[in-house]
Amino acid sequence: PGSARGGAPDGPARPRRRLLVALVLEDAVAAEVDGLRRAVRGGRPGRIAPHVTLVPPVNVADDELGTAVRVVESAASPARPFAATIGPVATFAPERPVVYLAVTGADGELDALRAAAGSGPLAPPPSRPERPFVPHVTLSSHAGDDLARACLVALGRFERETVFTHLHLLEQDLALPERPWLRVAAPALGGTSVRGRGGLEVELAVAAHLDLESAAWVDSRWAEHGRAAYGPRWRRDEPFAVVARSRPPRGAGGLVGVATGEIRGGTCELSRLLVGAEARGEGVGSRLLEHVERLASEKGCDRVRLRTAEGGPAEGFYARRGYAREALLPRWREGRDFVVMSRPLRPGP
C-alpha cells in the first residue's frame, strides 16, 4: 500500500474513492446520444451518463472527498453556461478502439474548466502518461475496425447543439457488479458568490443537487430540529419509489410507470405518479396507487396526500378512488390552479 497519490508507502492504506469530473449531457440531447450508445453497443446500457470527461478517473482518499467537492465548486464558480456542438462521429482507431462524438465550439471554456478542476486531490497521478485533450462523448470504447467504419458511414452527419450548465463530480460504485458512476456533486456554472455585510461572510453556491457532504449535514441538522420541535417520537422523512414494469407475454420488462413520494410522520406525501402513454388505460396507475396506499398503511400513515391540476384528468382519477379536496392553490404552477387532495387510510376516532 502507498499514499492516495500513488507515492511511496506511508503507513496503513487509506480508504479511497474513484472520482472523475465531467460535463454531463442533459435533456433531449442526452437521450439521443444514449440511444446511439445502446445501438453501437448492441443494446447494452452504459455505466455512466453521456458526458465529456474533463478529469479522468483518479483515486482520492476518503477523507479528501470534501476537498474534491470544493475544488469542483471553485472550478464552476467563475465559469458561465456555454454552448457546444456534439458530433459528428469520429474514432481513435487504430491506436484505440474508441468511437466517439466530437465536441467543438467551446475550446476555451473546456480548457479553463479542465485546468481548474484537475487540481488538489483531483490532480492526475505523476505516473499517468499525458495525452492530448480531445473533447468527445464516447459511444463505444471496444469497437472493432468494422464497427468503427460502419459508425463513420451511418452517423457521420450527426450533429446536435447543447448547452452545458453544470460541472459534475462523479464516483464509481465499486461495490455493485455494474460499477456504475454516480453523482457526488453538480455545481452550477457561475453559481457561486460571496456575501457578507456586517456579519459572517459566506460563499453561496447553486447546484442541481446537494453534494454528499451537504446532504449529510442537512440530514443531521434536520434530525436535531425534528427532535427538538416534535419530541422523541419524531421520525425522519422516508422517501419511496414504486416502479412498474411490463411482463411477458405483453411486455419484456420495460418501464411503464413510477410513483414517488415521502412518508412524513403520519402522512404519505405522493409527489409523482406517472404512467407511460403506451400503458395508459391498462390499470397501471390504479395498481401503482394501491401499492403506495398499502406501503403507507404499513408505515403507520393515516392518509395519503397529493397535489394535482384543478379540473385535469388526474383530479378525476383520484376522486374516483376516494380522494377529496383539502385546499385550492391558485396559480400554483405555470399560472394554473392546483388542488390538494387526500384520502384517509383508516377511520378516525
Side-chain angles (χ1 to χ4, degrees):
S3 70
R5 307 306 304 156
D10 58 0
R14 299 156 68 192
R16 302 179 185 181
R17 296 171 178 264
R18 190 159 176 80
L19 307 177
L20 69 79
V21 181
L23 293 164
V24 177
L25 299 183
E26 301 177 11
D27 303 328
V29 174
E32 275 196 89
V33 172
D34 196 46
L36 294 181
R37 293 197 312 174
R38 287 173 177 264
V40 172
R41 298 172 182 178
R44 298 190 306 275
R47 295 183 299 174
I48 187 171
H51 67 284
V52 181
T53 297
L54 297 179
V55 177
V58 60
N59 294 327
V60 173
D62 189 64
D63 57 6
E64 290 187 304
L65 176 62
T67 303
V69 169
R70 286 185 282 276
V71 167
V72 173
E73 290 175 343
S74 296
S77 175
R80 292 290 182 271
F82 61 93
T85 300
I86 309 297
V89 169
T91 180
F92 290 128
E95 291 80 11
R96 287 184 286 157
V98 175
V99 174
Y100 64 88
L101 292 167
V103 178
T104 58
D107 291 348
E109 291 88 347
L110 294 171
D111 288 340
L113 286 172
R114 285 182 65 238
S119 61
L122 295 172
S127 58
R128 177 178 291 169
E130 288 191 21
R131 287 176 174 166
F133 177 59
V134 180
H136 67 280
V137 178
T138 300
L139 295 180
S140 174
S141 56
H142 302 284
D145 291 343
D146 291 343
L147 178 57
R149 284 192 293 267
C151 289
L152 291 175
V153 172
L155 304 174
R157 295 185 178 181
F158 180 89
E159 287 190 0
R160 295 293 185 271
E161 299 297 319
T162 192
V163 175
F164 292 112
T165 59
H166 293 77
L167 187 60
H168 285 72
L169 179 64
L170 305 175
E171 177 180 5
Q172 190 171 27
D173 190 336
L174 301 177
L176 295 178
E178 305 84 3
R179 296 193 169 189
W181 288 87
L182 308 176
R183 182 187 61 246
V184 175
L189 299 179
T192 303
S193 61
V194 176
R195 293 289 184 271
R197 185 173 298 174
L200 179 65
E201 186 173 275
V202 296
E203 184 179 84
L204 307 175
V206 178
H209 305 274
L210 288 173
D211 59 70
L212 294 179
E213 181 185 31
S214 301
W217 184 90
V218 169
D219 191 53
S220 173
R221 297 304 188 274
W222 192 249
E224 292 175 4
H225 167 75
R227 287 189 291 269
Y230 305 111
R233 298 186 63 184
W234 174 86
R235 65 183 188 183
R236 299 172 186 268
D237 295 347
E238 299 179 52
F240 67 83
V242 182
V243 177
R245 296 182 182 275
S246 60
R247 298 186 62 186
R250 297 185 60 188
L255 188 64
V256 294
V258 169
T260 63
E262 286 187 326
I263 305 297
R264 297 178 182 171
T267 300
C268 171
E269 299 281 354
L270 178 61
S271 57
R272 293 186 179 92
L273 194 153
L274 304 172
V275 176
E278 73 283 1
R280 289 172 190 162
E282 300 283 348
V284 175
S286 295
R287 289 195 287 276
L288 280 169
L289 188 59
E290 290 168 2
H291 201 87
V292 168
E293 292 169 351
R294 184 163 59 252
L295 174 66
S297 183
E298 291 171 356
K299 294 289 186 177
C301 296
D302 55 20
R303 63 174 174 166
V304 176
R305 185 169 58 193
L306 57 93
R307 292 186 296 262
T308 191
E310 184 188 31
E315 183 180 4
F317 169 83
Y318 292 116
R320 290 190 295 273
R321 286 154 183 82
Y323 286 77
R325 284 194 185 192
E326 280 189 1
L328 175 68
L329 304 174
R331 301 177 62 80
W332 189 77
R333 185 167 186 176
E334 303 296 334
R336 295 191 61 183
D337 295 344
F338 272 60
V339 293
V340 178
M341 305 183 74
S342 67
R343 175 177 180 258
L345 294 178
R346 56 175 178 259

